[in-house]
Amino acid sequence: MKATIYDVAREAGVSIAAVSQVMNGKGKISEERRGEIIKIMERLNYQPSVIASALTGKKTYTLGLLVPDISNPFFAEIARAVEDQGHHMGYSLVICSSDNKDERVERYLNLLQQKSVDAMIIGTGMDNKDMLTPLMERAIPIAMIAREMPDIDVHTVVVDDFVGGALSATHLLDLGHRRMAILAEHSKVSSSRERVRGFKSKLEEAGAQLPENSVRNCHYVVADGKREALELLDQSNPDRPTALFCCNDLLAIGALQAAKQLGLRVPEDLSVIGFDNTILASVTDPPLTTVAQPIEPMGKMVVDLLIQELKKESKAKQRVVMRPELIVRQSTAAPTECD
Amino acid sequence: MKATIYDVAREAGVSIAAVSQVMNGKGKISEERRGEIIKIMERLNYQPSVIASALTGKKTYTLGLLVPDISNPFFAEIARAVEDQGHHMGYSLVICSSDNKDERVERYLNLLQQKSVDAMIIGTGMDNKDMLTPLMERAIPIAMIAREMPDIDVHTVVVDDFVGGALSATHLLDLGHRRMAILAEHSKVSSSRERVRGFKSKLEEAGAQLPENSVRNCHYVVADGKREALELLDQSNPDRPTALFCCNDLLAIGALQAAKQLGLRVPEDLSVIGFDNTILASVTDPPLTTVAQPIEPMGKMVVDLLIQELKKESKAKQRVVMRPELIVRQSTAAPTECD
């Protein structure tokens, strides 16, 4: 059994508060008594635990990470980047999957506060920003990653989603597409909203327009993308698009599966663009043209910002916007006009 | 500011140990004094934190999960299954990626002990089982998931890897393959060793044999699988295999990429089988025939076993072996004999 603060206190005949004061160099204990207690600590090989430090108001060296779904490869890659930089700086990572549901977000925010995480990284959408108030009142540093909540005063590390949408539109317009549609995520997901806005703005500049009902909000799973794409690509749809812009790679895979089911060839009959450039994008049939987020630098940056705040090196909240990159693979080509 | 145990102790004029005794119903405090302290707790809206409970030797309701790489989709899916069941039972999850390196395993095991995790789930290979001794001495329940260390007395939840290898061999033999090779993981990964053993045993039963140097140990990344597959599939190799059994889906994707680079068609010129049935297997070109692990039931089981042990409901260590299933997609077919 490892020695606890109680063992030290018992052996020294003092309260655990006194032992804690010795550790922290505080309190009104005589130098002589302090020396005796330190000798007892050494003799018992007492190592103050992170837990004990937390109780005395010190750090737990734990970061909380709240994402929609850790089994979504994009967030798994984000988690790995955060984990690596966290461990590099001496912090470990508690991970929670919210499924973008407010009641899960709230439950996990409470849980992570109970665990006394030093700081919180949020990569999930939420409708109700008041859920963050308790953390902010307790001065727990917060950073958003790959998501934004402009109304609240927190660090933010995002890719320029608007530019990502615009790059996708420009690519499709340059290829000659005019009838396009979008598989978006739920409207509460800020990153998805910006991607759609960037895409539409380039279309408007070019005098092209999205037909009515051609921006579909999906849950972020393959099956949802497939279902919406099947509707959009239906033969009876007079505005049947020649290209789909998908707000993440999972939805793009759903689009590929829908095209296959309908006998549409990609890219000859349908172009598909994804977003995120996860490991999935390079293994699909055909490999996906997609917008790459710089995941590793984003994970590193979010940890560094929080640690700077924890160390009181910087108080100013920062919004860091990283540039996305369009990765052209084989899922996009000029449209074949056949109607 | 939330009230701490110190606030309660100060207000009541007692030591924090006394407050702790009141919370735990222990110690030699008079009923009257106890009642007063409880009233102070209520007045200050003091909520004992998980951290405080940990210090007094109680649970932290935290599970540690050590995997090779959280950005590997198989382990991300395992993590999600463990997280869901953990949260269902009131536990949160600290995740660490070991890269299968002993020094990282050791560092994270120490870290997770410092965090006072209640129990530890290990899904990573390790050479040195002595690294687990400190946890076992402190009676921290341990369970292995998707990995085995038969020498030590811990819970284990695995798929029957031997059967998975055997199912793969039978499928390829039935299709008519005789010249085969294996992309395995590092030899310290027990699951991979068993898959290879199961595969070989069926080959031997059928009187087929693997040529020398045809079991390649790879790091568990796509690039490594591709590099080894390029060597195995080299035209100058007289034993060039017509089928590759890959010990995970990432290696199988490497094999697909190597085949593409060499102009070999899958499955006409080369059959490829993966293992794990991650999300990747359904999106490759062609979709992968692979061995499915029941990830969700495995994650649930491993959490349930640990919580039973924590609740002292069961002391016996269990080894739960779940049955794998061969999922036949389009990456396997009869060999085309052309030499």
Side-chain angles (χ1 to χ4, degrees):
Chain A
M1 277 293 287
K2 213 178 137 185
T4 67
I5 193 168
Y6 288 110
D7 299 324
V8 176
R10 194 180 312 116
E11 192 78 10
V14 299
S15 70
I16 64 168
V19 177
S20 171
Q21 283 166 2
V22 169
M23 288 189 283
N24 298 315
K26 292 180 186 164
K28 286 187 264 176
I29 299 162
S30 73
E31 273 313 301
E32 193 186 353
R33 194 85 189 95
R34 185 183 298 276
E36 284 170 16
I37 294 173
I38 287 173
K39 271 191 196 132
I40 288 165
M41 285 181 188
E42 285 170 359
R43 180 156 54 77
L44 296 178
N45 193 22
Y46 169 62
Q47 295 170 314
S49 76
V50 174
I51 294 296
S53 303
L55 185 60
T56 57
K58 286 198 291 189
K59 297 204 290 185
T60 59
Y61 294 95
T62 306
L63 304 174
L65 174 67
L66 194 56
V67 293
D69 183 1
I70 188 65
S71 74
N72 170 336
F74 173 67
F75 290 106
E77 290 170 28
I78 287 272
R80 178 67 206 252
V82 168
E83 185 205 328
D84 277 358
Q85 182 65 7
H87 282 307
H88 182 65
M89 304 300 288
Y91 288 75
S92 62
L93 190 63
V94 178
I95 294 184
C96 301
S97 298
S98 72
D99 287 332
N100 279 331
K101 287 180 184 147
D102 273 8
E103 69 272 18
R104 280 179 75 106
V105 172
E106 187 155 25
R107 186 144 51 92
Y108 291 142
L109 287 176
N110 283 334
L111 181 81
L112 291 169
Q113 279 183 79
Q114 279 180 5
K115 303 280 174 182
S116 302
V117 295
D118 290 336
M120 183 79 81
I121 300 165
I122 297 177
T124 189
M126 58 179 87
D127 288 323
N128 181 0
K129 69 179 195 300
D130 294 341
M131 287 190 290
L132 294 178
T133 309
L135 280 89
M136 299 181 76
E137 280 175 355
R138 295 178 65 190
I140 295 173
I142 301 172
M144 309 287 295
I145 187 164
R147 290 283 181 276
E148 295 214 55
M149 294 189 77
D151 295 349
I152 55 171
D153 187 30
V154 296
H155 297 292
T156 306
V157 178
V158 284
V159 80
D160 195 324
D161 292 300
F162 185 91
V163 167
L167 286 172
S168 303
T170 302
H171 176 61
L172 292 174
L173 287 165
D174 287 351
L175 287 169
H177 291 275
R178 287 297 174 274
R179 290 201 317 280
M180 299 176 240
I182 302 180
L183 298 185
E185 289 186 58
H186 193 284
S187 59
K188 80 174 136 188
V189 180
S190 61
S191 58
S192 178
R193 283 200 310 269
E194 281 301 291
R195 291 168 197 179
V196 171
R197 213 167 60 81
F199 190 88
K200 281 183 171 174
S201 82
K202 275 290 162 196
L203 253 55
E204 278 161 27
E205 273 181 32
Q209 276 207 328
L210 287 174
E212 214 174 315
N213 205 17
S214 61
V215 180
R216 302 298 180 99
N217 291 334
C218 309
H219 198 55
Y220 58 96
V221 294
V222 172
D224 241 48
K226 182 177 178 184
R227 195 189 62 236
E228 295 294 334
L230 281 173
E231 277 191 38
L232 285 166
L233 298 172
D234 189 280
Q235 297 280 359
S236 63
N237 177 0
D239 294 321
R240 190 155 73 91
T242 60
L244 289 179
F245 171 53
C246 307
C247 285
N248 68 46
D249 288 341
L250 291 171
L251 296 177
I253 288 164
L256 293 181
Q257 292 181 352
K260 193 166 186 179
Q261 183 171 320
L262 296 169
L264 295 170
R265 293 163 305 161
V266 175
E268 294 85 347
D269 305 323
L270 179 73
S271 286
V272 175
I273 297 191
F275 210 109
D276 292 343
N277 193 32
T278 54
I279 186 172
L280 297 171
S282 58
V283 306
T284 54
D285 169 22
L288 274 177
T289 295
T290 187
V291 179
Q293 302 202 44
I295 292 178
E296 227 180 278
M298 288 168 72
K300 181 175 183 311
M301 176 61 73
V302 83
V303 172
D304 289 347
L305 286 173
L306 290 172
I307 291 180
Q308 276 169 27
E309 185 172 343
L310 285 168
K311 288 186 175 168
K312 321 268 185 219
E313 284 170 7
S314 165
K315 282 197 77 160
K317 306 295 179 186
Q318 295 186 40
R319 178 173 182 270
V320 180
V321 182
M322 299 200 176
R323 185 87 187 171
E325 186 188 358
L326 184 75
I327 308 289
V328 178
R329 294 200 183 87
Q330 284 111 62
S331 67
T332 46
T336 319
E337 281 307 329
C338 52
D339 47 340
Chain B
M1 278 292 288
K2 214 177 136 185
T4 67
I5 192 169
Y6 288 108
D7 299 324
V8 177
R10 193 180 311 117
E11 192 78 11
V14 298
S15 69
I16 65 168
V19 178
S20 172
Q21 283 166 3
V22 169
M23 286 189 283
N24 298 314
K26 291 180 187 163
K28 286 186 266 177
I29 300 161
S30 74
E31 274 313 301
E32 194 187 349
R33 194 84 188 96
R34 184 182 301 275
E36 285 169 16
I37 294 174
I38 287 172
K39 272 193 196 131
I40 289 166
M41 286 182 190
E42 286 171 358
R43 180 157 54 76
L44 297 179
N45 193 23
Y46 169 62
Q47 294 170 315
S49 76
V50 174
I51 294 294
S53 302
L55 185 60
T56 57
K58 285 199 290 189
K59 297 204 289 184
T60 59
Y61 294 95
T62 306
L63 304 174
L65 174 66
L66 194 57
V67 294
D69 183 0
I70 188 66
S71 73
N72 170 334
F74 173 67
F75 290 106
E77 289 170 28
I78 286 272
R80 177 68 206 251
V82 168
E83 185 205 328
D84 277 358
Q85 183 66 6
H87 283 307
H88 182 65
M89 303 301 288
Y91 288 75
S92 61
L93 190 62
V94 178
I95 294 184
C96 302
S97 298
S98 71
D99 287 332
N100 279 330
K101 288 182 184 146
D102 273 7
E103 70 272 17
R104 280 179 76 105
V105 172
E106 188 156 22
R107 185 145 51 93
Y108 291 141
L109 287 176
N110 284 333
L111 181 82
L112 291 168
Q113 279 182 77
Q114 279 181 5
K115 303 279 174 185
S116 301
V117 295
D118 290 336
M120 182 80 79
I121 301 165
I122 297 177
T124 188
M126 59 178 87
D127 288 324
N128 181 0
K129 69 179 195 304
D130 294 342
M131 289 191 290
L132 294 178
T133 309
L135 280 90
M136 300 181 77
E137 279 174 354
R138 295 178 65 187
I140 296 173
I142 301 172
M144 309 286 297
I145 188 164
R147 289 285 181 274
E148 295 216 55
M149 295 189 77
D151 295 349
I152 56 171
D153 187 30
V154 297
H155 297 293
T156 306
V157 178
V158 284
V159 79
D160 196 325
D161 292 299
F162 185 91
V163 167
L167 286 171
S168 303
T170 302
H171 176 62
L172 292 174
L173 287 165
D174 287 352
L175 288 169
H177 292 275
R178 287 298 174 271
R179 290 201 319 278
M180 299 175 238
I182 302 179
L183 298 184
E185 290 186 57
H186 194 284
S187 58
K188 79 176 140 189
V189 179
S190 62
S191 58
S192 178
R193 283 201 310 271
E194 281 300 290
R195 291 168 196 178
V196 171
R197 214 167 60 81
F199 190 88
K200 281 182 170 175
S201 84
K202 275 289 164 197
L203 253 55
E204 278 160 27
E205 273 181 32
Q209 275 206 327
L210 287 174
E212 215 175 314
N213 204 17
S214 61
V215 180
R216 302 297 179 99
N217 291 334
C218 310
H219 199 55
Y220 59 95
V221 294
V222 172
D224 242 47
K226 182 177 177 184
R227 196 190 60 235
E228 295 294 333
L230 281 172
E231 277 191 37
L232 285 165
L233 298 171
D234 189 279
Q235 296 282 358
S236 64
N237 177 1
D239 294 321
R240 190 155 72 90
T242 60
L244 290 179
F245 170 53
C246 306
C247 285
N248 68 47
D249 288 342
L250 291 171
L251 296 178
I253 288 164
L256 293 181
Q257 292 181 352
K260 192 164 187 183
Q261 184 171 321
L262 295 170
L264 295 170
R265 293 164 303 162
V266 176
E268 295 84 348
D269 305 323
L270 178 73
S271 286
V272 175
I273 297 190
F275 209 109
D276 293 341
N277 194 33
T278 54
I279 187 172
L280 297 172
S282 57
V283 306
T284 53
D285 167 24
L288 274 177
T289 296
T290 188
V291 179
Q293 302 203 45
I295 291 179
E296 225 180 279
M298 287 169 71
K300 180 175 185 309
M301 176 60 73
V302 82
V303 172
D304 289 347
L305 287 173
L306 289 171
I307 291 180
Q308 275 168 28
E309 185 172 342
L310 285 167
K311 288 187 175 166
K312 321 268 185 215
E313 284 170 7
S314 165
K315 281 197 75 158
K317 306 295 177 185
Q318 295 186 41
R319 178 172 183 271
V320 180
V321 181
M322 299 199 176
R323 185 87 187 171
E325 187 188 356
L326 184 74
I327 309 289
V328 178
R329 295 199 183 88
Q330 284 112 60
S331 67
T332 47
T336 319
E337 282 306 329
C338 52
D339 46 342

